[in-house]
């Protein structure tokens, strides 16, 4: 059996994801699809709308055959680290290829860009420095340096101002640099852009748009056209059980308490908290009555929303810089769920996996896995504030079989 | 002006306290009464029913002229440390004497007991060891050793099995050992014992009984006969504002989160958390749905309710063993409130105070005081869970003037 991998958050699963799975299988002629999915906390530094079990179920009900968890260490990390963890896991579980969506839509320009930047690495860094010294921001300087470099060799390159091209580039770059045998493939994204809100007349909307609608409208019906029925049912089930979807507003009383309970000095134990932001975090937590007030107080050109949210995630879970830094590569493949086809693939290929497959977490002492268990617990603590029916701990939850 | 000091928690202020103030002034012929009062967290390791400002008001409305705060370092400490902090503060503010309630009712037996235990210190410790080695518990061994020692010199001694005699003994012992010029005085306690619940036919009830009634009955009317009208009004005002009185149940979601957010190893940073109780705390927090379930799981002969609650207080406030251990004696007199007589006393005697008087906390950087401010903040975070109207931070609150 041939498997294609996808790197996902499914927050929540929507029609665009469905389209991507279908196209990925077609393009790669794969028999099954394996998703490596972020757990309770996501790359932009926020808790998932619904927990990983509900998101796993959405995936399995809509075309994914196996869902494995991207460990907390990678799922909440910077793009490079995120990409390294995800591609290594898909490689370890013997996917033939992995497919990502991009504005570009063809893979060669990604490979060309990678070769170019690798070849002219020193020039690239020198150019960036030069642009920064003229007063441009770091992302602007990156872009300008790249534009200059592209003129050196006449080939097709990707446009690095497009968000999904950037993400895809990180995957391609990670797989190449780490010499993984897994092959990158890209699928053209359709319609709704990442930053769009819901278009009433379309059946594709971004996850961001869908979340916005879920938090702003009292009825789930608003998003009905943009997600598979199976997602809709899972979301409905979650809401009935837990009264609301999760975001930082839900966890705010605990988050604020966690920040204030530290001294500014103690806050610097957490990744990226340094150079004085610890005092600003403390001060903002003290005087803010809501998460959005807190973030608005803190946000600046230097401290972007995402950067702040990543700090906050680690403060909230209590996972320190030191705890994160001990790990550079995945140490296990954590199974969250599978279909019967997925199960067949696992039994056939298990012996060739490059990392141990973990189905029951109770039986392992893996240090990296302990952070995932903690993340689930902390997610549950926050959910407890609004729900009588908080999710079970990881060691009480077996993989979902469909 | 002559001042008598009292050492109090007023959780809440009741008729017994009123009687004690009246008798203390009569006995010592003092012009005014000064209370050193625990702040937001109390000696038995729990948050106060209502915050220190409401309790200050109760005191000032019922016969106290000046209320100063017993710093967190002492108010949450063991009896010896508590007594040292309290007596030193009353001495520093130039009280002529301090008066405590006791079952004994006369001061000489306290002084006799102190002399006896000081004189036969080595014998006492040897006897205790001897009794412990026979299998008796430590408190039982203390009692037996003391009973034996009493036979050495024929004098009146206090009965050290009575809770208020024990407390009073700690005060007398602290004042003597520290060579304070303040004079100890004791007032016979009346009627309700510490462990009693409310007696329907009496107008004196213990604070424990009153709290029990406040948490169990939906109406404040139940306690009307046991507290001054002014206390009743303050309690009513609190309940209208914050929907409920505070105990660990109120703070439970934050407390559980604080425990679980640590690793067991990190929990050992907090006072008294060692020898494996850190694992038990973690395990109990994980599986308990309420504070009482949590405590029932943990309570044992070795780990008494109070001992556990003290650990929990520090975990909740995030104040580590190291932070506590840097302090052995009070470094300031923190004014919480005063009557006009109290104000007159302060202006007349301020120059002779042995420690700086602090009215506005914003203007000082005292390290011990920072812990009090943190305790107030953490109390406020817990109250936030149930109230839209959490108490202001200490630096926003001037002393109460009545």
């Amino acid at each position: 059996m041939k498997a294609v991998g996808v790197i996902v958050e499914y927050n929540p699963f929507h029609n665009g994801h469905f389209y991507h799975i279908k196209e990925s299988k077609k393009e790669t002629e794969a028999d099954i699809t394996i998703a490596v999915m972020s757990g309770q906390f996501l790359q932009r530094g926020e808790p998932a709308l619904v927990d990983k079990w509900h998101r796993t179920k959405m995936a399995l009900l809509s075309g994914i055959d196996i869902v494995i968890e991207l460990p907390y260490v990678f799922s909440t990390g910077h793009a490079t680290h995120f990409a390294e963890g995800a591609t290594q896991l898909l490689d370890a579980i013997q996917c033939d290829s992995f497919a990502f969506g991009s504005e570009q839509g063809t893979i060669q320009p990604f490979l060309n860009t990678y070769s170019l930047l690798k070849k002219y690495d020193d020039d690239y860094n020198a150019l960036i420095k030069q642009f920064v010294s003229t007063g441009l921001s770091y992302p602007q300087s990156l872009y300008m340096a790249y534009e200059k470099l592209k003129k050196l060799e006449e080939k097709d390159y990707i446009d690095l101002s497009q968000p999904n091209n950037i993400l895809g580039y990180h995957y391609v770059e990670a797989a190449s640099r780490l010499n993984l045998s897994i092959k990158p493939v890209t699928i053209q994204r359709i319609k709704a852009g990442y930053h769009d809100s819901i278009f009433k007349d379309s059946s594709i909307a971004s996850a961001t748009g869908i979340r916005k609608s879920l938090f702003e409208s009292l009825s789930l019906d608003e998003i009905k056209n943009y997600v598979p029925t199976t997602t809709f049912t899972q979301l409905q089930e979650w809401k009935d059980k837990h009264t609301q979807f999760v975001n930082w507003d839900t966890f705010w009383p605990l988050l604020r308490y966690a920040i204030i309970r530290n001294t500014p000095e103690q806050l610097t134990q957490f990744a990226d908290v340094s150079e004085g932001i610890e005092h600003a975090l403390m001060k903002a937590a003290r005087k803010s009555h809501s998460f959005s007030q807190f973030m608005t107080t803190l946000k600046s050109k230097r401290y972007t929303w995402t950067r702040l949210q990543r700090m906050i995630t680690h403060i909230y879970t209590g996972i320190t810089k030191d705890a994160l830094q001990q790990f550079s590569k995945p140490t296990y493949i954590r199974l969250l769920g599978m279909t019967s086809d997925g199960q067949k693939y696992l039994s056939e290929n298990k012996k060739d996996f490059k990392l141990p497959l973990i189905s029951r977490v109770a039986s392992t002492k893996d240090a990296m896995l302990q952070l995932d268990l903690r993340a689930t617990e902390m997610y549950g603590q926050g959910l407890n504030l609004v729900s009588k029916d908080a999710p079970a701990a990881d060691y009480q939850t077996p993989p979902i079989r469909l």
Side-chain angles (χ1 to χ4, degrees), chain A:
Chain A
M1 285 169 102
K2 198 171 153 184
V4 59
V6 290
I7 299 165
V8 304
E9 302 207 307
Y10 292 161
N11 191 40
F13 191 99
H14 59 61
N15 292 348
H17 297 129
F18 187 76
Y19 169 84
H20 179 72
I21 297 170
K22 216 178 53 185
E23 292 300 307
S24 300
K25 278 183 92 168
K26 204 198 289 172
E27 175 82 18
T28 60
E29 295 178 340
D31 303 298
I32 69 151
T33 316
I34 301 178
V36 55
M37 188 181 82
S38 302
Q40 314 291 35
F41 292 89
L42 310 180
Q43 217 251 328
R44 297 206 304 171
E46 50 194 18
L49 201 60
V50 303
D51 72 9
K52 60 188 177 190
W53 304 109
H54 282 72
R55 280 152 49 235
T56 295
K57 223 166 172 182
M58 289 174 192
L60 297 176
L61 289 163
S62 296
I64 298 288
D65 298 288
I66 296 172
V67 181
I68 60 176
E69 182 168 356
L70 182 64
Y72 177 91
V73 172
F74 305 104
S75 80
T76 60
H78 295 277
T80 310
H81 207 46
F82 181 94
E84 284 173 357
T87 52
Q88 284 179 98
L89 278 168
L90 293 177
D91 186 62
I93 200 169
Q94 294 289 359
C95 283
D96 193 61
S97 58
F98 68 95
F100 58 91
S102 68
E103 292 83 1
Q104 178 65 40
T106 50
I107 198 69
Q108 196 54 48
F110 283 92
L111 302 172
N112 293 344
T113 293
Y114 176 69
S115 301
L116 181 79
L117 294 185
K118 197 181 164 192
K119 188 169 168 189
Y120 298 104
D121 188 34
D122 292 342
D123 308 74
Y124 187 43
N125 288 323
L127 279 168
I128 294 168
K129 254 190 196 157
Q130 197 181 311
F131 283 115
V132 165
S133 73
T134 67
L136 287 182
S137 77
Y138 189 73
Q140 283 171 325
S141 303
L142 277 180
Y143 181 77
M144 294 296 287
Y146 177 55
E147 290 303 308
K148 262 204 137 160
L149 234 50
K150 284 202 302 194
K151 293 183 182 121
L152 296 177
E153 293 185 16
E154 205 162 315
K155 281 185 185 160
D156 275 346
Y157 299 107
I158 54 168
D159 174 359
L160 274 181
S161 69
Q162 299 283 346
N164 289 283
N165 284 350
I166 297 175
L167 211 57
Y169 179 74
H170 279 112
Y171 302 149
V172 172
E173 199 262 335
S176 306
R177 186 165 33 79
L178 298 166
N179 286 316
L180 306 182
S181 43
I182 194 167
K183 209 180 84 209
V185 171
T186 190
I187 306 294
Q188 176 95 52
R189 279 173 61 94
I190 47 160
K191 283 195 178 167
Y194 188 65
H195 294 294
D196 295 348
S197 224
I198 287 188
F199 294 115
K200 290 279 173 201
D201 53 347
S202 154
S203 66
I204 300 275
S206 69
T208 307
I210 291 171
R211 286 198 299 276
K212 193 161 178 275
S213 175
L214 283 174
F215 285 113
E216 283 174 6
S217 104
L218 292 173
S219 153
L220 260 172
D221 288 338
E222 292 279 318
I223 63 142
K224 211 161 196 165
N225 290 338
Y226 310 99
V227 298
T229 325
T230 44
T231 290
F232 188 82
T233 311
Q234 285 300 304
L235 289 174
Q236 188 68 64
E237 189 187 301
W238 177 273
K239 206 179 174 186
D240 291 345
K241 209 167 163 184
H242 300 302
T243 71
Q244 58 178 250
F245 298 110
V246 171
N247 61 13
W248 278 124
D249 291 323
T250 318
F251 292 1
W252 172 242
L254 295 184
L255 174 62
R256 181 175 47 181
Y257 168 73
I259 296 171
I260 300 181
R261 187 175 168 277
N262 286 278
T263 59
E265 199 198 11
Q266 287 170 330
L267 284 179
T268 62
Q269 295 173 80
F270 297 100
D272 221 18
V273 182
S274 62
E275 300 172 3
I277 187 74
E278 61 274 19
H279 297 284
L281 283 167
M282 186 73 82
K283 205 171 153 192
R286 279 190 168 131
K287 60 177 196 180
S288 300
H289 296 289
S290 68
F291 179 70
S292 61
Q293 190 190 347
F294 171 73
M295 289 296 281
T296 311
T297 310
L298 286 170
K299 202 182 165 268
S300 66
K301 210 167 136 186
R302 178 155 176 215
Y303 290 104
T304 61
W305 195 279
T306 301
R307 191 170 169 197
L308 290 166
Q309 284 202 148
R310 281 214 200 105
M311 295 178 196
I312 284 164
T313 299
H314 302 311
I315 295 172
Y316 178 80
T317 58
I319 296 175
T320 61
K321 214 181 304 191
D322 289 350
L324 290 174
Q325 276 172 352
Q326 28 174 340
F327 307 110
S328 60
K329 45 173 65 188
T331 52
Y332 56 88
I333 299 169
R334 166 85 190 280
L335 182 65
L336 292 180
M338 60 197 159
T339 60
S340 53
D341 279 354
Q343 191 168 5
K344 204 171 144 213
Y345 175 87
L346 291 179
S347 15
E348 279 177 17
N349 298 282
K350 210 169 157 180
K351 59 182 189 318
D352 299 323
F353 290 175
K354 298 172 186 171
L355 292 169
L357 182 73
I358 296 179
S359 305
R360 298 263 177 182
V361 301
S363 57
T364 168
K365 289 272 172 225
D366 185 286
M368 185 185 284
L369 183 65
Q370 299 312 309
L371 302 185
D372 297 350
L373 307 194
R374 176 186 271 234
T376 295
E377 274 201 306
M378 294 294 104
Y379 186 91
Q381 291 301 307
L383 195 56
N384 264 331
L385 295 176
V386 294
S387 171
K388 294 265 170 244
D389 202 0
D394 270 0
Y395 63 87
Q396 295 167 313
T397 319
I400 293 169
R401 284 155 182 271
L402 227 69

